Amino acid sequence: MSSASDSGSLRDRLLRAAVDALDDLTPVLLLRAVGGREITRRAGASPATIHHHFGSIEGLADAVLARAYATSSSMGAGVALLVDQIRHSHLPLEAVFALHGAEFDRNTTDPHFRHRLGLWALGGEQGARAYRDFLHDMDAQILGDLEIMWAAWGRRLREPFEPRTFLPTKTALLNGMTQLHLVDPHPDHRMRFQRASTAADLLLTRIEGDRRTVDDRLAEIHSQSPPRAVPPTPGTAPAADDPTRARILSAAATLTATATTDGITLTRVAAQAGVSLSTLYRYFATREHLEAALFLEQARPLLQVRGTAAGSPEEELRRVLADVARAVVPRVPLAAAYLTSVLLAPSSPDPAEQDPVLARTRRLIAARGSTPALEGDPDGEDDVARLLLALTVRRALLQPATPPERVAERALQRCGFPTAPGHAVHPDRAGDP
């Protein structure tokens, strides 16, 4: 029993020693393992020629590293031409596909691709240093072309990516697909890499003026996923007074107090609120939806649904619109998201999901009765309500110094409502939107 146990222990020690020996390998030790005689035999030369041309086996190892990691040999012909085609294309998907196909062909036919990975894995510090310098040199060559191409194409990297992290991400994808193809060749690998790499380009870059981060785009893609096999039970949508929803809005408010709205992502809000991203998506599919809800939440004291008020529905409508204009000025980024929500958000039959301001505006229009914009369209209260709110928010955003009552009156006039006594409005000298 004792000898069997000792034998098992010795076997484990031998395995560990063998692994440790691999960890201690260097390019010199690898070449010595092959042997100078074998190397010169393959070259059809005598053993002395190594010392004549390289001085020593160490000099030969340095030359091998230089050959394997020569960046000039890694740049395929025609890549510059493809980059130039992309640079001058409005929507250059075909050129981008061709560029990624050329990258795949270059990598899979490069005789030194395996050597680079092998020398990095088994070449110790010397191999790792050579591979690091190779990657830095490659990035420097590619980065200049990328920045020129992005500028001409009107694109920028999305946060949190920047060139020094974007390039290794693309390199990892290219190397991974190359390894798969070399180990297990398949004719579809090239096509799949082209599409995967192009998808990464489109996700990780943005057009000028698009402020969404990578997390925002991921949230949007997630929200556009097809329904699950088992649809949710009707009537289970989160209510407006749901404590989880309130916690998410509170977290978003905390983040807006310490950073610009552009710096907020759904991922950060979820972490601040202590909920999962999937839970947050159930309440707010995109950052714009969250910002619009946060606008209503922060403006709640001004936008409270009034009880029975003295005066006509038209007078009450003027007060509601003036309150909206008053709420916009200190909350410009959130109000911009709310404007989009008013124009584009579909109507919901569930009262818990309805915008309370939009619902109140719609009821006041219906209570008022005949309106020029509604003639022949008995179901048009929703359209007119949205238009009134959109005109109010837009004018308050563009001309924040305009008195709220004046903003409200101008929106009503634009929608065909008669001017109230004492509320005559004339176009501003600077231009009236």
Side-chain angles (χ1 to χ4, degrees), residues 328-349:
V328 164
V329 176
R331 305 171 181 85
V332 169
L334 301 178
Y338 178 65
L339 173 59
T340 302
S341 173
V342 166
L343 289 172
L344 301 180
S347 299
S348 173

Side-chain angles (χ1 to χ4, degrees), residues 131-357:
Y131 196 21
R132 180 199 62 201
D133 294 343
F134 167 81
L135 292 176
H136 287 176
D137 289 345
M138 286 288 291
D139 288 352
Q141 293 182 39
I142 297 171
L143 182 57
D145 283 336
L146 277 180
E147 290 181 335
I148 293 173
M149 183 181 72
W150 287 335
W153 197 5
R155 301 189 81 88
R156 293 288 183 271
L157 283 175
R158 293 188 191 275
E159 294 180 354
F161 278 84
E162 40 83 27
R164 291 299 179 187
T165 53
F166 172 82
L167 289 173
T169 300
K170 295 296 294 295
T171 299
L173 178 59
L174 174 60
N175 286 351
M177 287 297 293
T178 299
Q179 292 173 48
L180 174 62
H181 185 71
L182 294 178
V183 172
D184 186 16
H186 192 283
D188 288 345
H189 286 162
R190 185 180 192 273
M191 173 270 293
R192 290 169 182 167
F193 169 74
Q194 288 177 289
R195 279 152 179 75
S197 196
T198 301
D201 289 338
L202 295 177
L203 175 63
L204 301 182
T205 61
R206 59 181 175 83
I207 60 174
E208 297 285 1
D210 182 0
R211 301 178 300 176
R212 292 171 295 180
T213 67
V214 170
D215 288 340
D216 295 332
R217 289 293 292 125
L218 290 174
E220 291 175 5
I221 293 169
H222 174 87
S223 69
Q224 294 164 6
S225 300
R228 293 172 294 178
V230 181
T233 304
T236 59
D241 58 353
D242 187 309
T244 302
R245 182 180 187 276
R247 191 161 73 250
I248 293 171
L249 290 174
S250 176
T254 299
L255 291 174
T256 57
T258 57
T260 64
T261 305
D262 291 346
I264 295 175
T265 66
L266 294 182
T267 301
R268 291 181 61 196
V269 172
Q272 180 76 18
V275 300
S276 67
L277 268 176
S278 60
T279 296
L280 189 146
Y281 295 150
R282 188 163 61 91
Y283 290 84
F284 306 104
T286 68
R287 190 177 72 177
E288 286 73 19
H289 294 159
L290 175 59
E291 290 174 355
L294 185 58
F295 171 79
L296 290 173
E297 181 68 20
Q298 291 187 352
R300 185 186 294 273
L302 286 172
L303 305 178
Q304 285 286 1
V305 177
R306 303 168 187 266
T308 303
S312 66
E314 192 168 305
E315 291 173 334
E316 176 67 5
L317 183 58
R318 283 186 169 84
R319 285 193 289 269
V320 170
L321 296 178
D323 287 344
V324 170
R326 195 171 288 111
V328 164
V329 176
R331 305 171 181 85
V332 169
L334 301 178
Y338 178 65
L339 173 59
T340 302
S341 173
V342 166
L343 289 172
L344 301 180
S347 299
S348 173
D350 187 345
E353 295 181 358
Q354 292 177 1
D355 173 350
V357 180

Side-chain angles (χ1 to χ4, degrees), residues 27-89:
V28 172
L29 291 176
L30 289 171
L31 290 180
R32 283 178 176 165
V34 175
R37 289 185 178 276
E38 175 61 18
I39 293 172
T40 54
R41 184 192 68 78
R42 289 169 177 262
S46 66
T49 55
I50 290 180
H51 294 276
H52 174 74
H53 288 280
F54 301 101
S56 64
I57 198 72
E58 287 81 3
L60 177 59
D62 291 340
V64 167
L65 287 174
R67 172 69 65 86
Y69 291 111
T71 55
S72 59
S73 66
S74 300
M75 300 300 292
V79 171
L81 177 62
L82 291 169
V83 170
D84 192 61
Q85 291 176 5
I86 294 171
R87 190 184 306 159
H88 294 92
S89 300

